Amino acid sequence: QVQLVESGGGLVQPGGSLRLSCAASGSILNINIMAWYRQAPGKQRELVATITSRGSTNYADSVKGRFTISRDSAKNAQYLQMNSLKPEDTAVYYCNVNLRTAWDRFQDYWGQGTQVTVSA
């Protein structure tokens, strides 16, 4: 069974920084794409950033130049460094991992979500 555990959310003032972490555990054989999504109140969940197994990254236009996604393959972990935070970045952030286990094909798994609030 696969489990994703997120950490690092919290309350920060505009212009501040936060670093989110997400660690996957279980009988994992391979991890493909790792991603971060977010969902603000009353809005649909949106893709924030992705990173491939080779380290190629992609970002939503709204976070380019401010957020950085990274991964540590040895730890089955991914991170999201968020700088210059704005009130509109307030949302619940979810990690998403496409992986396969010893018993199953590649599929998506989700973290439990962590609240990020940007407010003065």
Side-chain angles (χ1 to χ4, degrees), residues 91-114:
V92 177
Y93 284 69
Y94 299 89
C95 62
N96 171 276
V97 181
N98 183 257
L99 60 83
R100 71 181 175 108
T101 66
W103 302 280
D104 209 345
R105 59 185 179 182
F106 278 103
Q107 59 182 303
D108 284 349
Y109 292 84
W110 291 89
Q112 80 278 13
T114 185

Side-chain angles (χ1 to χ4, degrees), residues 60-72:
D61 288 342
S62 58
V63 307
K64 279 181 182 177
R66 300 187 298 121
F67 290 11
T68 302
I69 188 171
S70 60
R71 64 191 283 171
D72 185 335

Side-chain angles (χ1 to χ4, degrees), residues 12 16 18 24-25 35 48 51 55 70-71 73-74 87-88 90 97 104 110 115 118:
V12 64
L18 282 175
S25 61
V48 175
I51 184 167
S70 60
R71 64 191 283 171
S73 296
E88 51 263 43
T90 296
V97 181
D104 209 345
W110 291 89
Q115 177 69 46
V118 185

Side-chain angles (χ1 to χ4, degrees), residues 7-52:
S7 61
L11 172 64
V12 64
Q13 292 186 342
S17 298
L18 282 175
R19 185 175 187 248
L20 305 183
S21 301
C22 175
S25 61
S27 300
I28 299 168
L29 290 185
N30 298 101
I31 295 180
N32 188 11
I33 293 176
M34 308 181 89
W36 288 95
Y37 287 74
R38 67 185 181 186
Q39 187 167 19
K43 295 187 177 181
Q44 289 188 330
R45 190 172 296 188
E46 64 172 350
L47 179 62
V48 175
T50 62
I51 184 167
T52 69

